[in-house]
Amino acid sequence: MEIDKAIRECADSRLKTKYSNAISVIKRAFALYSIQEVALSFNGGKDSTVLLHLLRAGYFLHRAEESCSQDVVDGENTFPIRTIYFESASAFPEINSFTYEAAATYNLQMDIIRLDFKSGLEALLKANPIRAIFLGVRIGDPTAVGQEQFSPSSPGWPAFMRVNPILDWSYRDVWAFLLACKVRYCSLYDQGDSNNSEEKFKPAYLLPDGRLERAGRAKKQLSSISNGLKFKDLNSDSVLTASVIAVGDEILFGTVEDKLRSFLCRKLHSIGWAVLLLAVTRNDVDSVAEEVERRKSTNDMVFIYGGVGPLHSDVTVAGVAKAFGVRLAPDEEFEEHLRHLIAEKCTGDKNEMAQLPEGITELLHHEQLPVPLIKCGNVIILTATNVAELDLQWDCLIESAKSNGDLVLMAPFVSKSLATTLSDVEIAQPLSKLRLQYPDMNIGGYRGSRKGPLIVRFEGKDPTRIEAASQSLCQNFHSGAFSQIE
């Protein structure tokens, strides 16, 4: 069969693996259901075109295992699987033309339905003994959320098994298959011009990733998941809160000194955010999930870093997914970024880095970042391993926030520090009274060393109140008891 031969002879090992897995799903479906009980949903798009040819190859291989080889060769062009086409008046003429041409070329037994999808399925399944339908659904499609390779139809819909052979295929995989097999696809994908005469688009198969094919589509909205991480009307003295979580046994063992936490705290204070918690958790999915789950519901934002990569101990992304109660699934857009970064090394464990929390992930792009930041609800996953990398990621995040509102920028915290040789006992009661008098400020004392001076720090959003609080403290003691630290 020409499809199977083309894949076996191609040099793309990744495509061979994807093809083999998809054929296994198809063979399993044929083992569970008779040919009369299955159908193909075909709409003329690139994904369903891939599915059509996979089914042709799968049916050919299925028959080869059940009959003599000569019988298979003689009947190679037969395709007895019922094909469903939901014809829409709003569809492009090229889509309709390609669909009918494909039906004639491959002898498709096509049921043309002009009702809405649900009503059409109800009528079709009532008249035919169809128990399973092959779909060209891929992870990243809105309908893919929660689906497996075999998934029963949703409650309230006609009962049938959804079979998804290409669920884990990326945009790259789809075009690699179509080009390797040299099969026809809808001519619209070859058109480079947009409706705007001043803007030109490349043919779909030349695009580096699927985002560019969907350039005109609206950006996914995650506002139902986000905890207020968009620009909104806030008073200048309002405070949003964040938690910072580090993942790493090496930090807990004292093997590595974590310098990122203090850096991130300073950066958050510079945009007016208060850090409520600094936590370090083990390289363990459950430990990460428990910490994230606690903090994401009590903070406006959670920043987490460490444990992102291909090693067995890199469990941060999986922990975040578990905290939100979703599974990890391949993200074709993120995978393309990884592919540009590590090229042919994007295989095996490294390719698993492209699996992100399903349905809740938003990628935060910036031209200076080789790989976008990952945002899941109100959790931002940072990939920095040192202060220099974190500084770059932070600057990109802030620049992005100014244009898309991915992070609320507020009036920064300001501070004033006073040094004194007074004892802790002498200053304790006046400080306690001052904190009650100025509840909107953080007032505290610390020492750099046991015998060094006591540092009293005032931190808040209003410089006038900070000055008033510091003057009020000084009035309780003799002149010269405090000196300001620059």
Side-chain angles (χ1 to χ4, degrees), residues 152-180:
S153 55
S154 302
W157 282 71
F160 66 95
M161 181 63 72
R162 294 175 289 189
V163 185
N164 304 307
I166 62 170
L167 189 64
D168 64 341
W169 284 42
S170 72
Y171 180 84
R172 171 196 176 276
D173 298 327
V174 166
W175 281 109
F177 178 89
L178 292 173
L179 297 177

Side-chain angles (χ1 to χ4, degrees), residues 197-318:
S197 60
E198 297 181 359
E199 185 177 9
K200 305 295 182 181
F201 292 128
K202 294 179 181 179
Y205 59 84
L206 292 180
L207 299 178
D209 61 69
R211 290 181 299 116
L212 301 177
E213 184 196 356
R214 301 186 293 269
R217 300 183 190 177
K219 183 180 179 182
K220 266 190 312 190
Q221 297 298 315
L222 296 175
S223 56
S224 61
I225 302 172
S226 175
N227 279 6
L229 298 178
K230 299 294 178 186
F231 280 113
K232 53 185 178 182
D233 292 332
L234 292 168
N235 298 325
S236 61
D237 59 348
S238 297
V239 176
L240 294 177
T241 63
S243 281
V244 176
I245 303 173
V247 180
D249 291 346
E250 63 278 6
I251 300 175
L252 292 173
F253 291 152
T255 308
V256 173
E257 181 184 358
D258 182 13
K259 298 180 180 179
L260 301 187
R261 288 186 294 169
S262 57
F263 179 88
L264 194 50
C265 287
R266 290 194 298 272
K267 291 297 186 181
L268 283 164
H269 285 167
S270 73
I271 62 168
W273 283 62
V275 179
L276 296 188
L277 176 86
L278 297 175
V280 182
T281 186
R282 297 174 51 214
N283 287 329
D284 175 79
V285 173
D286 290 335
S287 298
V288 173
E290 289 170 8
E291 196 66 54
V292 171
E293 188 172 10
R294 282 196 296 267
R295 306 309 164 192
K296 71 183 178 66
S297 59
T298 56
N299 291 264
D300 296 292
M301 176 71 84
V302 177
F303 291 87
I304 187 168
Y305 60 88
V308 179
L311 298 177
H312 73 281
S313 57
D314 294 332
V315 297
T316 296
V317 175

Side-chain angles (χ1 to χ4, degrees), residues 202-443:
K202 294 179 181 179
Y205 59 84
L206 292 180
L207 299 178
D209 61 69
R211 290 181 299 116
L212 301 177
E213 184 196 356
R214 301 186 293 269
R217 300 183 190 177
K219 183 180 179 182
K220 266 190 312 190
Q221 297 298 315
L222 296 175
S223 56
S224 61
I225 302 172
S226 175
N227 279 6
L229 298 178
K230 299 294 178 186
F231 280 113
K232 53 185 178 182
D233 292 332
L234 292 168
N235 298 325
S236 61
D237 59 348
S238 297
V239 176
L240 294 177
T241 63
S243 281
V244 176
I245 303 173
V247 180
D249 291 346
E250 63 278 6
I251 300 175
L252 292 173
F253 291 152
T255 308
V256 173
E257 181 184 358
D258 182 13
K259 298 180 180 179
L260 301 187
R261 288 186 294 169
S262 57
F263 179 88
L264 194 50
C265 287
R266 290 194 298 272
K267 291 297 186 181
L268 283 164
H269 285 167
S270 73
I271 62 168
W273 283 62
V275 179
L276 296 188
L277 176 86
L278 297 175
V280 182
T281 186
R282 297 174 51 214
N283 287 329
D284 175 79
V285 173
D286 290 335
S287 298
V288 173
E290 289 170 8
E291 196 66 54
V292 171
E293 188 172 10
R294 282 196 296 267
R295 306 309 164 192
K296 71 183 178 66
S297 59
T298 56
N299 291 264
D300 296 292
M301 176 71 84
V302 177
F303 291 87
I304 187 168
Y305 60 88
V308 179
L311 298 177
H312 73 281
S313 57
D314 294 332
V315 297
T316 296
V317 175
V320 171
K322 187 169 184 178
F324 281 94
V326 300
R327 68 175 184 174
L328 288 176
D331 186 291
E332 67 176 64
E333 179 183 345
F334 196 66
E335 183 174 23
E336 292 300 331
H337 284 286
L338 289 177
R339 188 170 303 284
H340 290 307
L341 181 65
I342 58 180
E344 72 281 353
K345 296 180 181 178
C346 192
T347 58
D349 293 338
K350 296 179 179 63
N351 194 46
E352 292 177 9
M353 292 168 60
Q355 296 199 39
L356 301 178
E358 183 187 23
I360 64 169
T361 296
E362 182 180 0
L363 298 180
L364 308 181
H365 302 86
H366 193 281
E367 60 184 8
Q368 293 188 36
L369 295 177
V371 176
L373 300 176
I374 303 167
K375 177 171 172 283
C376 301
N378 63 330
V379 177
I380 289 184
I381 302 173
L382 300 167
T383 58
T385 59
N386 56 59
V387 170
E389 291 177 356
L390 181 56
D391 193 19
L392 173 62
Q393 291 183 10
W394 179 265
D395 287 345
C396 293
L397 180 62
I398 294 304
E399 187 174 329
S400 172
K402 292 177 181 178
S403 56
N404 352 359
D406 289 318
L407 186 66
V408 179
L409 307 182
M410 305 177 65
F413 282 98
V414 292
S415 64
K416 182 176 182 177
S417 296
L418 301 176
T420 181
T421 58
L422 294 169
S423 69
D424 294 9
V425 174
E426 291 176 285
I427 204 171
Q429 188 173 12
L431 275 183
S432 296
K433 291 181 178 179
L434 206 60
R435 293 183 66 178
L436 293 175
Q437 187 179 351
Y438 294 90
D440 56 316
M441 282 193 294
N442 179 33
I443 304 173

